Amino acid sequence: MSANLTPVRRDPGYTGLTAVIETLPSHYYFDADHYQFELKKIWQRNWVYVCRSSAIAQPRSFRTLEIGDQSVIVVRSDDGTARAFHNVCRHRGAALCRSSEGRFPAAGIVCPYHAWRYNLKGELVQTSSAVNPDGFDRRDFPLYGLPLTEWGGFVFVALSKDPPPFEKAFDLPLARFADYELDKLVVGHTLKKLIKCNWKVFWENYNECLHCPGVHPKLAQLVPIFGRALLERRDDPSWQDHESDEDPRYAGGLRSGAQSWTMDGKPVGVPFPKVSEEDRKAGHLYLTSVPSVFIVTHVDYVRVVRLLPLGPELTEMSIEFLFLPETLAEKRDISPAVEFTNIVMSEDAEVSELNQRGLKAAPHEKGVLMPEEYAIRQFQDWVRAELSRP
Ligand code: FES
Ligand SMILES: [Fe+2]
């Protein structure tokens, strides 16, 4: 009799799936029409992380971002307010910004085609015709504004007039992150990778650790519970056997002696002064906002991983490493954090591409989730719900 047929005990509070759950259909991961549908139903309805507030700190500085086929401008006004607009002129629809970042002149936003001019509130100030048509009212042609929220030094936009409440876009209460004083942190390093996979493949990989022992040998050593293919204590069906065992193999958290996600477990940055003992012990705290970003705090740095869909089978991942300003002022060597992340994220990118390659196999209309993949189920249920919203 195989081990899988032996009845197992499932302790109360066990998090794993107990029924057979099907995955999303395979064509959701490569079909061009379905991809467009997801851009509309998911990417154009939810909050998307653009950049750090510091990237548009100066009055009139801007960034643009391509979210699928939509281009967005975020710009800081002279009064300090950040605003977002579709990157399009109201005249005949030329793109207003050619570059991905820069600073508008004091005159405001001038369309490179026929020089219509807008102020930073998006109001049309001037056309270029000798005389405007009778009945033409400049007030009828402002830039198309978009909701923008700044929190913790992060700028988010939504391509919808009616996005979900901002706080609801996250899996934890934002107040939980107050100790990290995120708005004070500065970018010490950035990494960018193109991954040949659908954006959902990346998130599904993010949502399970069944792959951790085989794919992430270094991470499995640093976070011993990951080495058991589990994310948390109660992911083990017989977790009560070790209910009060504080060994990180059972309790989670970093291996004994390690304090941060770095090559040797030693912090590289000046530690955040207000981090609680609980967070210090855990070694990492994840904040997730699908579809575009997850933020991981450690005792000395914060990792921000943003995804953007570039096509049905291509995703851009950008990673920012945030530190206290002192860490950069003291010129500390942050490479052990960057290197560790690079190893783990490259391993994840590689298996995500592997996953994508297999999904087109003609007979594989869908897959099946295993107990440890309960968080994938939540993600896929969210995708289904978004797609079926009117
Ligand atoms: S399209 Fe912008 S001024 Fe003509
Ligand atoms: Fe992974």
Side-chain angles (χ1 to χ4, degrees):
M1 190 161 72
S2 103
N4 281 344
L5 294 177
T6 312
V8 284
R9 193 181 94 213
R10 290 192 193 108
D11 292 340
Y14 168 55
T15 50
L17 298 175
T18 55
V20 175
I21 308 285
E22 291 178 339
T23 64
L24 297 175
S26 295
H27 77 269
Y28 277 27
Y29 300 85
F30 53 79
D31 180 84
D33 290 340
H34 185 80
Y35 171 71
Q36 289 299 332
F37 188 58
E38 288 188 351
L39 287 181
K40 233 173 96 191
K41 293 280 189 171
I42 296 178
W43 286 88
Q44 294 178 18
R45 273 187 176 173
N46 286 286
W47 291 98
V48 172
Y49 171 52
V50 180
C51 60
R52 291 288 290 165
S53 296
S54 57
I56 51 165
Q58 294 291 320
R60 295 185 272 114
S61 55
F62 70 87
R63 283 281 179 115
T64 60
L65 186 72
E66 316 301 310
I67 305 169
D69 55 6
Q70 301 296 304
S71 179
V72 170
I73 305 174
V74 297
V75 59
R76 181 81 55 195
S77 295
D78 290 306
D79 66 0
T81 313
R83 291 194 177 83
F85 305 104
H86 279 276
N87 183 10
V88 63
C89 176
R90 290 297 304 268
H91 174 213
R92 279 180 30 232
L96 291 166
C97 282
R98 287 186 260 227
S99 41
S100 60
E101 59 182 276
R103 206 169 165 205
F104 291 120
I109 307 173
V110 181
C111 177
Y113 199 177
H114 317 95
W116 277 30
R117 188 162 67 82
Y118 304 85
N119 64 23
L120 300 185
K121 289 185 186 151
E123 295 160 341
L124 175 61
V125 186
Q126 204 173 40
T127 65
S128 51
S129 298
V131 59
N132 289 331
D134 290 342
F136 179 89
D137 188 340
R138 281 187 279 111
R139 286 171 303 186
D140 294 337
F141 299 94
L143 296 180
Y144 301 106
L146 293 168
L148 178 149
T149 301
E150 286 184 271
W151 167 77
F154 298 101
V155 180
F156 283 79
V157 297
L159 279 159
S160 154
K161 287 255 170 289
D162 184 25
F166 184 71
E167 284 253 358
K168 286 225 165 74
F170 296 85
D171 62 338
L172 286 177
L174 298 181
R176 176 75 180 79
F177 291 80
D179 292 349
Y180 292 90
E181 301 180 297
L182 295 168
D183 50 343
K184 285 192 186 161
L185 307 184
V186 292
V187 180
H189 192 79
T190 56
L191 286 176
K192 208 170 253 196
K193 273 184 204 298
L194 291 185
I195 311 178
K196 290 191 221 97
C197 74
N198 182 268
W199 66 275
K200 300 188 298 302
V201 167
F202 180 93
W203 278 118
E204 290 169 6
N205 177 69
Y206 168 80
N207 274 307
E208 51 95 353
C209 223
L210 194 52
H211 70 276
C212 292
V215 172
H216 300 305
K218 275 199 166 317
L219 178 60
Q221 274 174 17
L222 182 72
V223 186
I225 198 168
F226 291 179
R228 295 174 61 224
L230 308 175
L231 289 165
E232 292 172 19
R233 192 194 283 276
R234 292 183 181 212
D235 298 354
D236 174 356
S238 36
W239 66 271
Q240 285 183 336
D241 289 349
H242 301 276
E243 192 170 356
S244 42
D245 194 333
E246 285 309 305
D247 184 318
R249 273 174 52 76
Y250 304 106
L254 307 182
R255 70 169 163 75
S256 134
Q259 298 169 62
S260 187
W261 281 43
T262 60
M263 294 303 284
D264 59 4
K266 293 199 188 101
V268 293
V270 176
F272 303 131
K274 297 185 186 163
V275 174
S276 67
E277 195 41 46
E278 180 198 352
D279 284 7
R280 226 174 272 285
K281 230 168 107 188
H284 50 250
L285 179 63
Y286 281 78
L287 177 66
T288 308
S289 179
V290 280
S292 74
V293 70
F294 67 91
I295 296 165
V296 195
T297 60
H298 302 294
V299 294
D300 60 327
Y301 77 98
V302 171
R303 196 152 25 98
V304 184
V305 181
R306 186 192 69 192
L307 294 191
L308 283 174
L310 300 189
E313 300 187 79
L314 190 62
T315 300
E316 179 197 88
M317 172 174 69
S318 332
I319 309 177
E320 292 171 305
F321 296 80
L322 310 183
F323 298 89
L324 282 171
E326 298 92 289
T327 296
L328 303 188
E330 290 172 15
K331 296 201 180 343
R332 294 207 180 191
D333 178 18
I334 59 170
S335 63
V338 174
E339 194 183 340
F340 188 79
T341 293
N342 204 10
I343 290 171
V344 174
M345 297 312 289
S346 300
E347 289 162 348
D348 280 327
E350 198 180 322
V351 286
S352 295
E353 293 188 347
L354 190 71
N355 196 168
Q356 185 70 35
R357 274 175 50 187
L359 283 167
K360 279 192 186 147
H364 190 76
E365 288 172 13
K366 54 183 69 161
V368 60
L369 296 180
M370 294 313 280
E372 297 85 348
E373 296 170 317
Y374 59 90
I376 298 186
R377 186 211 189 159
Q378 289 163 11
F379 170 74
Q380 296 193 342
D381 281 350
W382 173 81
V383 170
R384 289 185 190 97
E386 292 293 288
L387 296 180
S388 62
R389 272 208 291 163

